[in-house]
Amino acid sequence: MGAAPGIAGSRRPEQEGCFLAADEWERDWFIRMNNTGGAVDVWEVHGINADDLIQSPEGHYFFPAVIPATELRLIQRDLPPGRRG
């Protein structure tokens, strides 16, 4: 996370990993949850095995490791807070 706040404005990670949206509805939910005031980018992830995901207590899945940049593709940039993707 570095110095940047989490998508919900937190100063520490909610989980030790990266949350991944399973579908468009969940992607949009994460975008609407953004209350940091800044724009949101949406990245597509490849090369992750679903069996490697962990379900958080809130019911969302995260990957408990760093995702290599080679497995990412930017698909939407600078979406305003609260706007659907």
Side-chain angles (χ1 to χ4, degrees):
M1 275 180 66
I7 195 163
S10 62
R11 291 291 173 202
R12 58 188 274 288
E14 286 78 14
Q15 297 295 330
E16 292 297 324
C18 181
F19 283 98
L20 299 175
D23 54 30
E24 289 182 9
W25 183 92
E26 193 170 30
R27 175 206 60 197
D28 293 346
W29 182 85
F30 277 110
I31 292 170
R32 285 189 308 272
M33 181 182 40
N34 173 31
N35 70 358
T36 63
V40 176
D41 294 339
V42 177
W43 295 81
E44 185 175 71
V45 179
H46 296 276
I48 301 296
N49 187 333
D51 293 336
D52 292 332
L53 299 177
I54 297 173
Q55 189 173 19
S56 73
E58 300 78 25
H60 302 287
Y61 287 89
F62 67 95
F63 184 68
V66 173
I67 299 172
T70 56
E71 301 297 331
L72 301 174
R73 182 173 71 101
L74 181 63
I75 59 171
Q76 293 177 298
R77 169 178 242 127
D78 296 330
L79 295 173
R83 181 167 175 229
R84 288 185 50 144

